[in-house]
Every structure is written in structure tokens, then in C-alpha cells.
Amino acid sequence: MATIAPPAPAVTAFPKAAVIRALTDELLSVAQIEAQLRGISLPKDQAVTMKAAVPLDSLSVVDTLCAVETVVGFELRDNIVRTGGYDSIEEALAHVVPRIEKVWVKKKGAKP
């Protein structure tokens, strides 16, 4: 009699757009607070704000990971965020998103 193997678990692709959206929303809030505290005037246009020179400290960026955890379905470690923070939202996204994706692949076994 032939043995039938159970089906392999479905592999889900990394939800990159949802991760970026969640992080962007949170980082925009952090940037607005930082800008107010430092007397920096942020542009009204979101695309320009993403590139604006607004220091984002690493602890604030770590706090934004909570929003992403609901998207990816697991807890993210603080070491995903660079110590010392970032100089713009765009820089933070460029550094953090690939690192989250790496953890996703490790945990979920899904290739991008």
C-alpha cells in the first residue's frame, strides 16, 4: 500500500506593501513629533516629508515595530533597528524593511 505524505504547509509571500504602509504611518507620526520638538518645519507633501532631514531616534523606531508585528504575525526583535537611529523616514524604511523581510523568510520559509 502506498503512503501518502501530508500536504506541505502553504508558503505565504512576504507582505512587503503592508509592512511598508504600517511602518510609514508610524514613522510619519514619529517624524511629526520629532520635528515639533526640534522646531523643524515639515513639508505638507508626504513624498517630500519621507526624504526630509528629521532625526528619528532608535527607540522611537523600535516602538513602530509593534504596528508591523500585527502584519507579519510574530514579534520583531529590537536589533532590527540600527542603534543611533536614522536621519529620515526614507532611510529608516530602506534599512528596516529588508531586515524584517529576512526574519520573515527565516520564520516562514518564504522566499521574496
Side-chain angles (χ1 to χ4, degrees):
M1 177 190 263
T3 305
I4 300 174
V11 176
T12 308
F14 177 64
K16 188 172 188 172
V19 167
I20 290 171
R21 193 169 35 258
L23 263 178
T24 299
D25 290 346
E26 294 296 315
L27 290 170
L28 283 167
S29 295
V30 170
Q32 288 171 347
I33 292 167
E34 287 294 327
Q36 285 177 342
L37 291 173
R38 297 171 187 269
I40 299 169
S41 179
L42 284 179
K44 300 283 185 224
D45 183 275
Q46 183 176 331
V48 178
T49 299
M50 299 287 288
K51 298 173 191 258
V54 179
L56 305 169
D57 84 25
S58 56
L59 292 177
S60 297
V61 178
V62 166
D63 288 342
T64 68
L65 295 179
C66 293
V68 178
E69 290 172 352
T70 61
V71 174
V72 296
F74 53 83
E75 191 172 322
L76 296 167
R77 297 180 56 171
D78 296 357
N79 66 354
I80 285 176
V81 175
R82 180 174 61 213
T83 303
Y86 305 93
D87 294 326
S88 70
I89 295 171
E90 189 174 73
E91 180 184 14
L93 288 171
H95 182 257
V96 173
V97 172
R99 296 182 75 156
I100 294 170
E101 186 171 11
K102 226 180 202 180
V103 175
W104 171 274
V105 169
K106 200 176 208 179
K107 288 193 178 278
K108 303 278 186 168
K111 300 278 184 203

